[in-house]
């Protein structure tokens, strides 16, 4: 599709969130904190992908409107 950086950045966001959640949550929740680290990372990377998807869909729609000569 030509936008290969988005999945890579999503993986980086997931790695950073998982690591930081595991490090900080273990102090307060112990083993349960480590168990919560993966869902927190998935949620964070999903939010990043959701925002990226809507951004690029809007760009594609605007590009289509310009090429088709549609106003609005």
């Amino acid at each position: 599709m030509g936008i290969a950086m988005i999945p890579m950045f999503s993986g980086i966001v997931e790695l950073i969130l998982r690591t930081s959640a595991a490090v900080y949550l273990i102090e307060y929740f112990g083993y349960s904190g480590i168990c919560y680290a993966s869902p927190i990372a998935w949620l964070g990377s999903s939010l990043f992908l959701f925002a990226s998807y809507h951004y690029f869909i809007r760009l594609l729609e605007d590009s289509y409107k310009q090429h088709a000569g549609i106003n609005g």
Side-chain angles (χ1 to χ4, degrees):
M1 294 289 296
I3 310 171
M5 297 299 284
I6 297 301
M8 186 183 75
F9 285 138
S10 174
I12 292 170
V13 167
E14 183 178 351
L15 176 67
I16 290 169
L17 286 174
R18 182 175 290 148
T19 303
S20 59
V23 167
Y24 293 115
L25 292 178
I26 196 170
E27 295 177 14
Y28 301 106
F29 300 107
Y31 178 73
S32 296
I34 294 174
C35 294
Y36 291 131
S38 286
I40 289 170
W42 296 335
L43 182 63
S45 65
S46 296
L47 292 174
F48 174 76
L49 287 172
F50 180 77
S52 299
Y53 170 79
H54 283 287
Y55 173 76
F56 283 107
I57 288 297
R58 181 164 292 154
L59 283 179
L60 289 172
E61 286 175 348
D62 291 344
S63 175
Y64 172 74
K65 287 177 184 177
Q66 283 181 344
H67 290 304
I70 300 171
N71 293 329

